[in-house]
Amino acid sequence: MRHVQLRAFHHVALCGGFSRAAEMLNLTQPAISDQVRKLETEYDVRLFDRGKRQVTLTPTGEKLFEVTLRMFEIESRAVELLAESRAIKTGQLKIIADSAHHVTEILAEFRRKYPSVFVSLRVGNSETVNEMLTSYDADIGILGEVPVGREYKIINLRSTPIIAFAPFDSEIGTRSSISMREFAEVPMAVREPGSKTRAKFEDFAKQIGIKPRIVIEAEGREAVGEIVAAGDCISVVSEAEFGNDPRFVKIPIEDADIMMDEALICLRERQNSRLIRTFMEVAQSVVGGPKSDRSDANPGPC
């Protein structure tokens, strides 16, 4: 008995005829018939009742078909596993994050397992993350909130409060906390529209009737950080993104509980792409296991 004979039998049984089996296997009908005939002859069995218009399984054929169903399902899984292993030895994965800090631990584990995959990491605000995912310019996104809708596969990362930060040598930098009311008096630097941190902070301020004194708007966390470091302004950031830059101190907001829920996402329609699925599986293993405090991995509180 040869594998090719069982394959021919299986596809005839699966397709209900020799012609359709030949089409599926990209072979000729005589070739399929010959393989099935050799199998029947070798074991002196009849596997099919061959009518003029229909081919049906004999009792022995039905029992063999039950076996080959399992056999070729296992073979299919093996092929998929081997193909997947081959696919993720190379390739390029494009990530867009509202903060690189949230993905560093996951990225380190992914690189450890799949060192030959080239990873491209870009940073942008929440609007940019959504735009790049939907246009297929990025494979994986990290957002400052859990998105609503069924179009995304989502892994929740962490939830942390929004805090203020200021230069360590400033007057306000000596404070143990700051109130929302004071944001109407102290000059602030904020990120561009589209920043989820900014949007959440301003929405909360509006709800309680406070208009923050925003004097500078800059694009990107790095730019805001440099402006704050110059000593003229304060700003706000998710505590998870504060980092370990010695130029800054973090200041809790005493009368506000504004939370940022970071999420790692991909388009649900692309979740079965091998690289994307593999990265999401690595992310889930990291998030689901013991997590260390990696705030020192972030270069600054921007």
Side-chain angles (χ1 to χ4, degrees):
M1 177 177 59
R2 297 182 180 182
H3 179 273
V4 66
Q5 295 170 352
L6 282 177
R7 186 181 66 163
F9 161 79
H10 176 76
H11 284 82
V12 173
L14 189 68
C15 299
F18 288 86
S19 297
R20 288 192 291 273
E23 291 174 5
M24 178 174 287
L25 293 173
N26 198 26
L27 296 171
T28 64
Q29 181 175 336
I32 294 292
S33 298
D34 185 56
Q35 294 298 337
V36 173
R37 181 184 56 78
K38 287 179 179 178
L39 183 63
E40 291 178 316
T41 300
E42 182 176 353
Y43 289 94
D44 193 22
V45 294
R46 187 164 50 86
L47 299 173
F48 295 103
D49 287 326
R50 297 163 172 81
K52 292 184 177 180
R53 297 184 179 181
Q54 190 176 11
V55 174
T56 58
L57 286 164
T58 64
T60 302
E62 290 177 354
K63 291 179 181 178
L64 181 60
F65 186 47
E66 291 176 3
V67 174
T68 60
L69 277 173
R70 294 191 296 271
M71 172 183 168
F72 284 100
E73 169 63 21
I74 292 172
E75 182 181 273
S76 177
R77 292 180 185 177
V79 170
E80 182 178 341
L81 174 65
L82 293 171
E84 180 173 328
S85 298
R86 179 180 61 189
I88 60 179
K89 286 180 180 178
T90 59
Q92 179 174 345
L93 187 72
K94 295 174 287 185
I95 303 174
I96 176 70
D98 62 353
S99 173
H101 171 72
H102 299 293
V103 77
T104 52
E105 189 175 3
I106 297 168
L107 194 54
E109 178 65 11
F110 182 80
R111 291 283 304 136
R112 185 186 69 80
K113 291 185 174 181
Y114 308 103
S116 299
V117 175
F118 179 79
V119 179
S120 170
L121 175 62
R122 289 186 56 183
V123 176
N125 62 38
S126 296
E127 287 185 359
T128 303
V129 172
N130 280 304
E131 289 171 1
M132 291 191 67
L133 283 176
T134 54
S135 63
Y136 284 27
D137 290 323
D139 305 308
I140 301 289
I142 293 90
L143 280 175
E145 66 169 354
V146 178
V148 177
R150 297 183 178 181
E151 66 270 30
Y152 294 116
K153 179 177 176 61
I154 301 167
I155 296 177
N156 294 324
L157 297 179
R158 65 172 77 183
S159 181
T160 55
I162 290 177
I163 59 170
F165 68 95
F168 81 97
D169 56 355
S170 63
E171 184 278 328
I172 199 168
T174 64
R175 304 273 298 279
S176 60
S177 65
I178 186 173
S179 68
M180 284 298 298
R181 177 182 55 80
E182 291 176 279
F183 283 103
E185 304 167 0
V186 180
M188 289 188 67
V190 297
R191 287 191 62 183
E192 74 283 0
S195 163
K196 189 56 63 175
T197 304
R198 173 182 176 176
K200 284 201 167 188
F201 175 79
E202 290 183 332
D203 286 347
F204 184 84
K206 185 177 180 180
Q207 289 174 18
I208 61 176
I210 291 173
K211 184 176 181 180
R213 187 186 170 197
I214 297 173
V215 297
I216 298 179
E217 178 183 286
E219 185 170 352
R221 288 180 173 83
E222 291 77 11
V224 172
E226 292 305 316
I227 292 167
V228 173
D232 184 44
C233 300
I234 67 169
S235 191
V236 292
V237 69
S238 164
E239 187 172 24
E241 299 165 6
F242 178 73
N244 201 32
D245 192 319
R247 298 178 298 169
F248 306 104
V249 292
K250 61 181 178 181
I251 309 167
I253 304 173
E254 61 190 40
D255 52 353
D257 185 21
I258 317 170
M259 304 299 291
M260 295 293 293
D261 301 312
E262 290 291 335
L264 188 146
I265 66 174
C266 70
L267 289 177
R268 193 169 288 278
E269 65 194 57
R270 301 188 66 200
Q271 65 179 322
N272 290 322
S273 167
R274 288 192 177 98
L275 273 177
I276 294 174
R277 185 176 76 247
T278 302
F279 188 87
M280 296 293 278
E281 289 171 352
V282 170
Q284 188 64 68
S285 71
V286 172
V287 172
K291 296 192 68 178
S292 59
D293 183 4
R294 296 295 301 275
S295 61
D296 59 336
N298 192 38
C302 308

